[in-house]
Amino acid sequence: VEAYFNLASCQAAIGNFSGAEKHYKKAIEKDPKFKNAYTALAALMAKDLRYDDVIAFNKQALDKGYQGEEIYINIGNAYYLKGDTVSAVPFLEQAILRNQNNRNLNGFLAEFFKKCISFGLADFRFLERLCLGNLLAHLSFDICQIFRGDWPANIDVIVKTV
């Protein structure tokens, strides 16, 4: 598995993206839970703006029973990059539930939610749903710090309910 992954990484480094994709897929075929290959393959596809391919490939992994957080992150991020924020949210929520201590994910989600609100794609009711659904309790406090100046007057009550 590592050999296929390393070969894929070398192929990507020299610009042979089709070769890299083939070897990342081979690594995943040999070990369907090899999360680094999913992440690298998703990045490779996203680099070519192949967001639908990222979504389809990672949904296949879900269909096969692999439920790793990176699968949900890959799908959510691909939807986000496509501009489909509404479809991104449930996958990002699932990623949170699978690894509540991922600081990179926490930071990404904090910025994601802030952009959603600033562009009118979500509102504070959306964040209330996350708070009341106990999802924000699983995130680091960073997300609340980023929003602190933007919260409505009743946000302290919302956060305390978590």
Side-chain angles (χ1 to χ4, degrees), residues 64-105:
K64 292 177 183 176
Y66 182 52
Q67 305 265 323
E69 91 185 74
E70 64 283 350
I71 299 300
Y72 291 97
I73 292 169
N74 292 343
I75 296 170
N77 194 40
Y79 276 122
Y80 171 70
L81 292 171
K82 280 180 58 165
D84 187 352
T85 307
V86 172
S87 296
V89 170
F91 291 99
L92 297 173
E93 288 176 342
Q94 287 299 316
I96 295 168
L97 292 173
R98 279 162 176 69
N99 186 350
Q100 301 154 5
N101 299 316
N102 183 329
R103 297 209 37 92
N104 291 331
L105 179 58

Side-chain angles (χ1 to χ4, degrees), residues 87-150:
S87 296
V89 170
F91 291 99
L92 297 173
E93 288 176 342
Q94 287 299 316
I96 295 168
L97 292 173
R98 279 162 176 69
N99 186 350
Q100 301 154 5
N101 299 316
N102 183 329
R103 297 209 37 92
N104 291 331
L105 179 58
N106 291 346
F108 170 76
L109 288 172
E111 289 302 316
F112 172 78
F113 294 142
K114 192 170 186 177
K115 285 179 185 174
C116 287
I117 288 171
S118 68
F119 292 123
L121 301 172
D123 58 21
F124 286 105
R125 286 185 304 269
F126 170 77
L127 292 171
E128 286 177 356
R129 183 172 65 82
L130 290 179
C131 287
L132 297 175
N134 211 23
L135 287 172
L136 283 182
H138 300 302
L139 293 173
S140 74
F141 196 67
D142 295 348
I143 193 166
C144 293
Q145 292 299 324
I146 287 173
F147 281 105
R148 183 52 70 190
D150 299 334

